[in-house]
Amino acid sequence: MTKRVVTLAHYYTQPEIQQMADKVGDSLELSLFAREADADVIVFAGVRFMAETAKILNPAAKVILPDAGSTCSLVTQTDVAALKKWRNSYPDHVHVSYINSSAEHKALSDWIVTSRNVDDIIAHLYAEGKQVIFSPDRNMGAYLNFQYGYDMPLWSAVCEVHDRFNEAALDEALGAVSGAAHLIAHPESPLPVLKRAGYVGSTSGMLNWVREYQGSTTDVIFVATEDGILYNMGLARPDLDLRQAPIYAGCQCNSCPYMKMNTVEAVKRAQQGDGLLIDYLGESEMASARAPIERMLEFSARYYA
Ligand code: SF4
């Protein structure tokens, strides 16, 4: 019998990879799709923590990452033994972790969040009188503390792509626009950049913001996130002047090297069964990592219904 192969692609992959996929989305959309996918094989054109999440949510499927090198700086900057020690130093706190984390990391967490639901889940926990620690993204945690007046202790890792957005270069770019200019930003960006943004939100949230933009088509919209999403934004609103936010003067370019390892050849090979097979997670580790993810999915189903 022919095996059913489902290919998933993150918005940060190149357009030609997105065109090869059955589903294109952000972390939350792809996690949900993976959980429900009627697939023997899931080819995950993204990075390793995403393929691990797909395996955790759909353990019966064979999950393949096209290039074993597709990691993420939020994972590589987090030593799990040190994280465990840090987590244990706050025994009365709830540990909330961003989905951009390894399976081992998730297994040490009480809740997993995505950039789409992080605000609401943490607000919910504080409303219940809980104390919260947040990992691994320092920029996202700093933004939440600033925006809502929390005092969450933060783990210190960053997305090496978003962390490069630069406020001075941004001010220069905004100042060079003669008409109206807007900035929308992903919360993995540094706090000084986020403070200048008119909208801060997830990759899908930013895409929706652009899709529904009612302002003039002569306005300039700077986008502070990975460059792959500009393709989707351009498809949604070809009439708008969309520009990637600068990382230094004169350079509007910021690309995730790990996402771009998903080449056409690598994805084709993975569809034939070649690539990194996510078969190294133990049952008990997967169960421990699944519980905080399911908690998030149940919350989202209730809260956003
Ligand atoms: S863009 Fe940043 S957070 Fe996303 S995979 Fe690349 S390094 Fe990780």
Side-chain angles (χ1 to χ4, degrees):
M1 200 168 78
T2 317
K3 284 195 183 314
R4 181 163 151 70
V5 180
V6 168
T7 302
L8 310 181
H10 193 273
Y11 283 129
Y12 294 171
T13 57
Q14 295 169 85
E16 54 269 35
I17 303 299
Q18 298 187 27
Q19 285 154 14
M20 294 169 77
D22 298 292
K23 171 75 180 169
V24 179
D26 65 9
S27 287
L28 182 60
E29 290 163 339
L30 295 178
S31 298
L32 285 167
F33 195 87
R35 184 169 71 157
E36 307 303 331
D38 175 22
D40 299 303
V41 179
I42 296 175
V43 171
F44 209 123
V47 296
R48 187 160 169 165
F49 74 77
M50 296 177 179
E52 289 180 350
T53 305
K55 180 69 183 174
I56 290 163
L57 292 174
N58 191 343
K62 186 172 172 182
V63 179
I64 301 175
L65 182 70
D67 190 310
S70 302
T71 183
C72 168
S73 63
L74 287 166
V75 172
T76 56
Q77 291 174 12
T78 300
D79 175 79
V80 176
L83 178 83
K84 191 171 184 179
K85 214 167 150 192
W86 177 76
R87 194 276 164 269
N88 289 341
S89 67
Y90 295 98
D92 300 328
H93 286 58
V94 176
H95 182 198
V96 176
S97 296
Y98 186 34
I99 198 164
N100 295 21
S101 51
S102 66
E104 265 183 297
H105 186 144
K106 289 185 175 77
L108 294 172
S109 310
D110 300 304
W111 284 79
I112 298 301
V113 293
T114 69
S115 48
R116 194 128 48 110
N117 54 35
V118 60
D119 301 57
D120 295 326
I121 287 178
I122 292 182
H124 163 77
L125 292 170
Y126 272 101
E128 287 193 326
K130 305 266 177 34
Q131 291 294 301
V132 178
I133 56 171
F134 185 77
S135 70
D137 193 314
R138 181 184 73 211
N139 286 337
M140 188 178 288
Y143 172 71
L144 292 162
N145 279 344
F146 165 78
Q147 186 72 6
Y148 302 107
Y150 302 145
D151 56 355
M152 296 185 294
L154 307 177
W155 183 256
S156 190
V158 292
C159 162
E160 66 182 49
V161 178
H162 289 85
D163 196 52
R164 295 171 76 207
F165 289 115
N166 178 285
E167 64 179 310
L170 183 61
D171 286 343
E172 195 174 308
L174 288 166
V177 175
S178 53
H182 306 277
L183 171 68
I184 60 174
H186 192 281
E188 290 169 17
S189 309
L191 186 56
V193 170
L194 295 174
K195 283 182 179 174
R196 284 163 171 72
Y199 175 79
V200 175
S202 67
T203 313
S204 288
M206 295 167 82
L207 183 55
N208 285 338
W209 188 95
V210 166
R211 199 175 272 137
E212 290 162 14
Y213 187 68
Q214 298 287 325
S216 166
T217 52
T218 60
D219 295 353
V220 176
I221 300 169
F222 287 100
V223 180
T225 194
E226 211 270 355
D227 62 3
I229 193 67
L230 269 291
Y231 164 68
N232 309 81
M233 290 176 172
L235 286 180
R237 289 295 302 269
D239 54 328
L240 297 181
D241 186 348
L242 298 158
R243 304 179 192 179
Q244 203 188 28
I247 56 173
Y248 54 83
C251 177
Q252 288 175 310
C253 52
N254 217 4
S255 190
C256 176
Y258 313 115
M259 288 286 184
K260 300 307 188 267
M261 287 176 177
N262 292 286
T263 59
V264 170
E265 295 69 33
V267 173
K268 277 188 185 162
R269 278 198 303 270
Q271 289 170 331
Q272 299 303 318
D274 200 11
L276 178 71
L277 182 61
I278 309 295
D279 64 350
Y280 49 83
L281 303 174
E283 281 301 322
S284 100
E285 185 182 14
M286 283 208 285
S288 300
R290 189 177 302 120
I293 303 173
E294 291 288 359
R295 201 164 283 138
M296 165 189 77
L297 295 177
E298 278 162 27
F299 175 91
S300 297
R302 258 186 298 121
Y303 196 85
Y304 305 115

